[in-house]
Amino acid sequence: MIDLTIPLGAEVLDLRAGDSLTLSGTVYTARDEAHLRMMEEGIPFDPRGAAVYHCGPVIMDDRVIAAGPTTSARMNALSGFLLDAGVRALIGKGGMDAGVREALRGRGVYLAFTGGCAALAAARMQLLGVHYADLGMAEAVWEIELDRLPLIVGIDAHGGDLFERVGREAKLQFERRFNK
Amino acid sequence: MESTANGFLEAVASATAETLRQAETTLPPDVLQALESALERETGAVARNQLENILENVRYAGEHALPLCQDTGVPVVYLSIPPTVPLTAGIEEAVAEGVRRATREVPLRPNVVDPLSRQNTGDNTGGGMPAIHLRRGDEFSITVLPKGAGAENCSAIAMLLPSRTGDVARFAAETVLKAGGKPCPPVVIGIGIGSTFDGAAALAKEALLEPIDYMTPYEQEICDGINALGIGPMGLGGATTALAVKVRTGHCHTASLPVAVNVQCWAHRRATRRISL
């Protein structure tokens, strides 16, 4: 098992799609609304070597109650500026499109956490702070300390993409079965 | 609470809140069993790892009374009402009060927004929310099916050619193929066949209320077609893309074949409580 700590450097370039790893350090949650706000007003944290988590957690009394990943594909068209600014890892579920795959090339990785495993994720998190609280609980940017969150490399920095590979094979199977 | 001063309405509100708490923090035994069977079938390391995380998450959430998933969904509520109970606006308001209580106390993420302004109401209620479906029954019961957006967004409806009933399985598989890893597979698929455009969608969601430890040969065939795709747990590849397929039918126009496919994530949360009258 590979253990990585944020801020991330060139070590992410060694990862390959399908690898397992754990991630520790500070992540920032961001969904659709937060991406739009950051594009307009600038990124409210140091993006160099940072990790952005596609997540809208349940927070109560300054505690992370539940925090699994949200569907990353909604952020396909909104992620380029983060990678341009030096973000090294996007974390989410479900995979991202070819545009993001190309934008990650030589720079960063897309990491997958098991969707819906919100209680398990929260057990490895501590709340540090919040930006854009006015966007509401789900859409705000929460600053969270991770303690060895277990992840799978979905897309690597060399164009390797586990989701794309599985999707291509699924399409072949579909054609074989239904388009005879 | 003024509008539930009446003991019956208070019982409806508190049963709604408790049923939501149960649905959000535990999985029904049939769903848990289906996930455990899926783990027995999977051979790949990544697929096994995803299912192990899911089962550990269910255990952890249950032990600590925490929501299984941070997407606590929107409240979809089915009321079974015996003919002896007069239908009143008070019952709907009592259910909404139960949703507000669960949102504060479980707690649930406030997910409900105005569809255009996107303004959040803060308590998971709003116009048409909770979605309440009424059914005739022998006793008064409340069933909740909190519905997360990841899976709901992958759902689809089609008006198929009535001469091509065989296309139902293809449409279901195509819907799951397009969804890939987005709806948090292994999924449960509810299919509504017949009725009208809107009625098929309601049937598809109602199909998700049925136990998933049994499938008819027709349901099994559609499920096998989906699992042949190899999308696997979380879209990372594997044998289990769907835990089960459930079908509900309704009669329809002779020129019509509406088919709705409602996709549900592995966190197939549902719970029922009876209220004694």
Side-chain angles (χ1 to χ4, degrees), chain A residues 13-147:
Chain A
L13 305 180
D14 297 335
L15 299 170
R16 295 289 169 171
D19 284 352
S20 298
L21 60 91
T22 74
L23 189 62
S24 300
T26 306
V27 295
Y28 300 88
T29 69
R31 297 167 49 120
D32 316 54
E33 295 289 332
H35 281 77
L36 294 173
R37 176 81 67 93
M38 286 192 279
M39 286 161 103
E40 210 168 281
E41 297 179 6
I43 302 170
F45 52 84
D46 185 354
R48 287 169 300 175
V52 169
Y53 184 25
H54 300 147
C55 170
V58 179
I59 305 282
M60 192 170 67
D61 302 333
D62 293 331
R63 211 158 64 88
V64 186
I65 303 286
T70 195
T71 307
S72 298
R74 291 203 316 276
M75 272 63 76
N76 278 340
L78 305 174
S79 296
F81 79 101
L82 290 173
L83 300 171
D84 290 345
V87 169
R88 287 280 196 178
L90 304 175
I91 308 167
K93 69 159 171 100
M96 299 189 78
D97 70 2
V100 175
R101 186 163 66 239
E102 287 314 306
L104 286 169
R105 216 177 261 277
R107 301 204 286 200
V109 289
Y110 172 74
L111 304 172
F113 184 67
T114 314
C117 289
L120 200 59
R124 297 186 166 276
M125 292 176 173
Q126 233 186 333
L127 186 62
L128 299 178
V130 64
H131 305 272
Y132 308 157
D134 60 296
L135 293 179
M137 191 190 286
E139 300 287 338
V141 170
W142 297 95
E143 191 175 332
I144 289 170
E145 184 74 10
L146 293 186
D147 176 24

Side-chain angles (χ1 to χ4, degrees), chain A residues 2 4 12 14-21 90 108-113 150-157 160-163 165, chain B residues 46 50 236:
Chain A
I2 308 157
L4 293 183
V12 300
D14 297 335
L15 299 170
R16 295 289 169 171
D19 284 352
S20 298
L21 60 91
L90 304 175
V109 289
Y110 172 74
L111 304 172
F113 184 67
L151 300 161
I152 303 273
V153 179
I155 308 174
D156 64 33
D161 184 341
L162 189 50
F163 292 94
R165 215 180 296 159
Chain B
V46 171
Q50 297 302 300
L236 295 163

Side-chain angles (χ1 to χ4, degrees), chain A residues 166, chain B residues 42 44 47 227 229-233 235-241:
Chain A
V166 170
Chain B
E42 293 292 349
N227 283 330
L229 300 178
I231 292 164
L236 295 163
T240 320
T241 305

